[in-house]
Amino acid sequence: WQPIIDHIDSKFEDYLNSESRVNRRQMPDSRIHCCLYFIAPSGHGLKPLDIEFMKRLHEKVNVIPLIAKADTLTPEECQQFKKQMLMNSSCMEAHPAFSSAIRQLR
């Protein structure tokens, strides 16, 4: 995750430097505002790597967890996968950044 965080930081720093100049010129906003985090529908829920990555990344950008290939799952399978994610995310629930997302899954 460090290369991703470094990239986000560099985009933010570039934008800040251009805004801090005396002679500002119009510069496109190339900052990263959101990260779509795709979770593999393996049936095992969130892996420790997924949890750690989202915890570190949420301090920099908004993280939206998505179930990858959810359109290939039946509604029952999708609901079961969400429940499995909830069971594995008990350590995330205490974290304020994830509590609202977990409530939405319920």
Side-chain angles (χ1 to χ4, degrees):
W1 52 76
Q2 196 58 46
I4 295 170
I5 291 174
D6 291 343
H7 179 71
I8 292 168
D9 286 340
S10 73
K11 292 292 183 179
F12 180 77
E13 190 173 320
D14 291 345
Y15 188 80
L16 183 63
N17 288 339
S18 71
E19 284 289 311
S20 301
R21 292 185 184 146
V22 174
N23 295 326
R24 292 184 195 162
R25 60 183 152 99
Q26 191 66 18
M27 181 179 165
D29 186 359
S30 62
R31 293 175 292 176
I32 298 168
H33 300 281
C34 177
C35 174
L36 301 177
Y37 189 80
F38 288 90
I39 300 166
S42 61
H44 301 294
L46 294 171
K47 298 177 183 134
L49 181 64
D50 293 326
I51 294 170
E52 185 64 28
F53 183 84
M54 287 190 280
K55 280 183 180 179
R56 291 182 186 246
L57 196 60
H58 95 275
E59 296 172 357
K60 303 290 182 181
V61 296
N62 294 312
V63 178
I64 301 171
L66 300 169
I67 300 172
K69 300 182 181 180
D71 58 335
T72 63
L73 301 174
T74 65
E76 293 81 20
E77 289 173 330
C78 193
Q79 196 64 19
Q80 181 63 29
F81 186 73
K82 287 180 183 180
K83 286 180 184 177
Q84 184 69 29
M85 283 180 25
L86 284 173
M87 290 173 58
N88 291 348
S89 64
S90 60
C91 63
M92 289 173 53
E93 191 164 356
H95 202 281
F98 299 110
S99 60
S100 63
I102 290 171
R103 279 195 305 272
Q104 288 176 351
L105 284 175
R106 290 185 179 148

